[in-house]
Amino acid sequence: MATLGDDTLTLQESLRAFLARYPCRGRRWVALSGGLDSTVLLHLLSADGEPVSAVHVHHGLSPNADDWAEHCAELTDSLGVPLLTKPVAVDASGGVEAGARDARYRVFEQLLQPGDQLLLAHHGDDQVETFFLRLLRGAGPQGLSGMRSNRPLGQGQLLRPLLDVARRDLESYAREHELTWIEDESNLDVRFDRNYLRARVLPLLHERWPLRQRIRRATQNLNESASLLRELADSDLQACRHRAERLGESIALDPFHTFSAGRRRNVLRGWTESLGGAWPNAQQLAELEQQLASAEADRLPAVPLGRLVARRFRDRLFLTPVLPEVPEDFSVSWDGRHPLLLPGEGCLGPLPGWPATEYSVRFRRGGERARPLERQHSQTLKKLLQEYGLEPWLRERVPLIFEGERLLAVGDLFLCEGWGSEAPEALPDWRPLAFFD
């Protein structure tokens, strides 16, 4: 019977103890690649009678990808486990490994509902590889603290119950239970950094040192340092964080610039992580700090941070999603009684107190003029949006609400002249971006 290295607990007993610390209030998922690790994890849960579902992400990168999906379907059928297979398109512009990981995690984030858990089968040898990869990339304490056994993901929770398990224990379990699994041919390609470490470097180190135990001790110590840095980031964020109803979160730059350079970088890391963005690397942080320090009032630097973008406007720094394109000449009819989804992930809420009629909603096309209610003269819409302080990245997607050709309202900024005594009290409820809610 496979045990956890030198411990007396079996894999089954260790998994039960781990899951007892994290009771599931929703649906429990296993990320199933079909490889050894996830196959053993799924079998362990199934054999223990745990209610579980599996999700297989079909990257389409290998000529064998369809066979892997079929293998996962056969495995889950044999175990009586529901399977969800999700094909994805991988953006390899930043590297195949990073693009595939981003695609997987987008699936996972969209999948998890409140109370759900996603179990990943990373084990102790993966932790060793991750430690050295991050060390060679110059990571700090947060990065070197290793993969976490649990963290929030989407609306649910990500768990890694096998981080204290050696791969050899998983292999022993698989042989004992006559399990079959797939081998990804890309794992043999030493052009990838992780594969090079696994095949060429770590075997030499394993000959001399008990790496898994030593790295575990190091990551535990580094975790303490990382926790203290997170606490400091949370405390500093409270001093400069601002939540706007329409725009999600920003930080005020005046108090932010009173921090030392190290504390500013720590705030940016903690803030980005808390909003689900990719951990900014040293180059991104340096670029962002340089632009924040040098940008004049009329400059609007934007720095990509994975799925988020850091943008400055006036005296604040915002984190927004990467904005999707909005179509030109957009126009749609609307009854004003039901929510209206807008291109680019925006939304207009119902219009309480507005007349029951047919409205049309458009985006800017250039050259529009508007006269806000109670003003004597009209102005160009471009100038009005600047005056009302609408963030520049939203000015092309602010909804203009018309009745016929009469402009009634501009987003949730102002009503236009022409209403007379019939003007409604409520401005439209405009949510330009579906994020951070």
Side-chain angles (χ1 to χ4, degrees):
M1 180 176 292
T3 60
L4 295 182
D6 297 329
D7 298 336
T8 59
L9 290 179
T10 66
L11 286 173
Q12 201 90 48
E13 291 168 340
S14 177
L15 181 60
R16 288 174 192 159
F18 180 92
L19 295 180
R21 300 198 299 270
Y22 304 100
C24 184
R25 299 185 304 276
R27 193 170 181 179
R28 181 170 279 155
W29 294 87
V30 168
L32 180 64
S33 69
L36 168 70
D37 314 334
S38 60
T39 296
V40 170
L41 177 57
L42 187 65
H43 189 272
L44 282 164
L45 291 163
S46 176
D48 213 26
E50 288 282 346
V52 65
S53 301
V55 55
H56 174 73
V57 179
H58 188 312
H59 298 93
L61 295 173
S62 167
N64 301 312
D66 289 339
D67 294 337
W68 298 346
E70 183 177 347
H71 170 84
C72 289
E74 293 173 354
L75 172 64
T76 51
D77 282 346
S78 70
L79 298 175
V81 171
L83 172 68
L84 175 66
T85 299
K86 297 288 289 184
V88 295
V90 174
D91 178 3
S93 58
V96 174
E97 289 178 295
R101 183 187 184 280
D102 286 346
R104 279 196 304 278
Y105 275 81
R106 280 195 295 272
V107 169
F108 298 156
E109 289 175 356
Q110 294 167 4
L111 174 69
L112 294 182
Q113 300 301 308
D116 285 0
Q117 292 178 347
L118 176 73
L119 274 58
L120 302 186
H122 294 122
H123 49 73
D125 294 76
D126 293 326
Q127 186 78 292
V128 171
E129 294 167 6
T130 298
F131 177 87
F132 279 101
L133 281 171
R134 293 179 179 179
L135 177 67
L136 292 169
R137 292 169 184 164
Q142 294 101 322
L144 294 177
S145 62
M147 294 182 287
R148 292 153 65 179
S149 61
N150 71 95
R151 68 174 178 86
L153 180 66
Q155 300 182 75
Q157 187 179 34
L158 180 151
L159 299 176
R160 294 184 175 97
L162 302 179
L163 285 181
D164 290 335
V165 180
R167 178 182 168 85
R168 65 174 181 271
D169 294 314
L170 301 180
E171 291 175 343
S172 297
Y173 180 94
R175 293 192 198 99
E176 180 182 342
H177 292 84
E178 299 181 344
L179 302 181
T180 59
W181 62 90
I182 61 173
E183 294 286 356
D184 185 344
E185 71 278 358
S186 70
N187 288 337
L188 301 177
D189 188 345
V190 294
R191 291 176 299 175
F192 296 118
D193 290 344
R194 184 177 293 273
N195 295 341
Y196 183 84
L197 269 175
R198 182 184 301 148
R200 303 281 180 84
V201 178
L202 294 181
L204 296 175
L205 298 178
H206 275 295
E207 290 178 5
R208 189 173 184 91
W209 294 283
L211 283 188
R212 191 167 58 84
Q213 293 84 349
R214 296 285 179 88
I215 297 303
R216 179 183 178 186
R217 188 185 311 159
T219 56
Q220 288 173 340
N221 292 332
L222 287 161
N223 250 313
E224 292 186 7
S225 298
S227 295
L228 291 173
L229 288 171
R230 290 189 190 100
E231 290 179 15
L232 179 61
D234 290 343
S235 175
D236 287 345
L237 272 172
Q238 294 304 313
C240 57
R241 201 171 197 165
H242 175 76
R243 181 169 180 84
E245 182 178 350
R246 184 178 64 229
L247 289 168
E249 294 194 349
S250 65
I251 57 175
L253 291 176
D254 285 345
F256 176 75
H257 282 307
T258 66
F259 301 145
S260 66
R263 284 176 69 175
R264 290 197 301 270
R265 290 191 290 270
N266 190 49
V267 166
L268 293 171
R269 291 191 189 100
W271 187 35
T272 305
E273 182 183 39
S274 72
L275 296 178
W279 192 272
N281 58 38
Q283 181 179 352
Q284 290 169 323
L285 289 172
E287 180 185 355
L288 182 55
E289 283 211 288
Q290 181 182 10
Q291 293 203 38
L292 288 177
S294 63
E296 300 173 358
D298 59 346
R299 289 189 58 208
L300 304 167
V303 177
L305 300 174
R307 293 186 296 276
L308 300 179
V309 178
R311 306 171 185 272
R312 174 180 173 171
F313 179 56
R314 296 183 176 173
D315 60 349
R316 294 195 176 276
L317 179 67
F318 296 81
L319 279 181
T320 78
V322 176
L323 302 181
E325 294 291 332
V326 295
E328 296 181 3
D329 299 328
F330 169 74
S331 180
V332 64
S333 296
W334 184 38
D335 62 7
R337 293 290 175 263
H338 303 89
L340 175 66
L341 296 179
L342 301 171
E345 301 184 2
C347 179
L348 272 173
L351 300 172
W354 283 48
T357 187
E358 181 177 314
Y359 301 97
S360 65
V361 179
R362 310 172 195 169
F363 289 150
R364 292 176 60 196
R365 298 175 182 175
E368 296 93 347
R369 297 183 66 87
R371 178 180 160 190
L373 203 63
E374 300 179 354
R375 289 203 181 184
Q376 300 299 315
H377 304 287
S378 67
Q379 291 178 292
T380 64
L381 188 54
K382 178 180 178 179
K383 186 172 182 180
L384 286 168
L385 295 179
Q386 293 173 346
E387 178 185 336
Y388 276 79
L390 183 64
E391 291 71 16
W393 54 91
L394 299 179
R395 293 174 188 171
E396 298 303 318
R397 57 190 73 225
V398 59
L400 311 180
I401 303 176
F402 289 82
E403 182 183 15
E405 292 302 315
R406 182 165 67 101
L407 179 59
L408 301 178
V410 176
D412 60 355
L413 302 177
F414 58 84
L415 299 175
C416 298
E417 55 81 25
W419 282 97
S421 60
E422 300 176 356
E425 295 183 3
L427 285 166
D429 177 18
W430 172 43
R431 301 297 179 96
L433 300 168
F435 72 112
F436 305 156
D437 291 330

